[in-house]
Amino acid sequence: DDEGEIVRLRLRQVTAENLELQKKLIASQRELQVELATSNNMAKTLTAQQDENIKLKEELLFYKNMTKR
């Protein structure tokens, strides 16, 4: 009957929409994983640069103190 056909048509539409949304979700999750990995790498690099900066400041202070004598 017509009502059953309408329900089946709507079911196909909703199923297709669901598949598209699942694809978008997967793509967004992958993008988030890449962004998180990039963020973690940047944080590690920043920490290393900060450590190097502290070391260089300590060396500079040492040499400044040496020249004051």
Side-chain angles (χ1 to χ4, degrees):
D1 74 334
D2 287 342
E3 190 174 314
E5 184 60 31
I6 291 171
V7 170
R8 284 189 288 280
L9 177 61
R10 183 68 183 131
L11 177 61
R12 284 194 296 269
Q13 290 172 338
V14 170
T15 300
E17 183 180 343
N18 189 25
L19 286 173
E20 285 302 311
L21 291 172
Q22 287 176 352
K23 290 177 185 177
K24 289 179 181 180
L25 175 61
I26 290 169
S28 293
Q29 288 172 332
R30 287 180 183 158
E31 184 179 337
L32 178 59
Q33 287 174 342
V34 169
E35 289 176 5
L36 287 173
T38 300
S39 178
N40 286 338
N41 288 339
M42 289 178 69
K44 289 177 184 176
T45 300
L46 177 60
T47 299
Q49 292 298 318
Q50 288 172 332
D51 290 346
E52 179 70 13
N53 192 26
I54 290 169
K55 179 183 167 191
L56 291 171
K57 284 181 180 181
E58 289 171 349
E59 287 181 27
L60 179 61
L61 183 60
F62 172 78
Y63 288 115
K64 279 184 178 180
N65 287 334
M66 292 284 287
T67 60
K68 288 182 182 178
R69 294 181 181 178

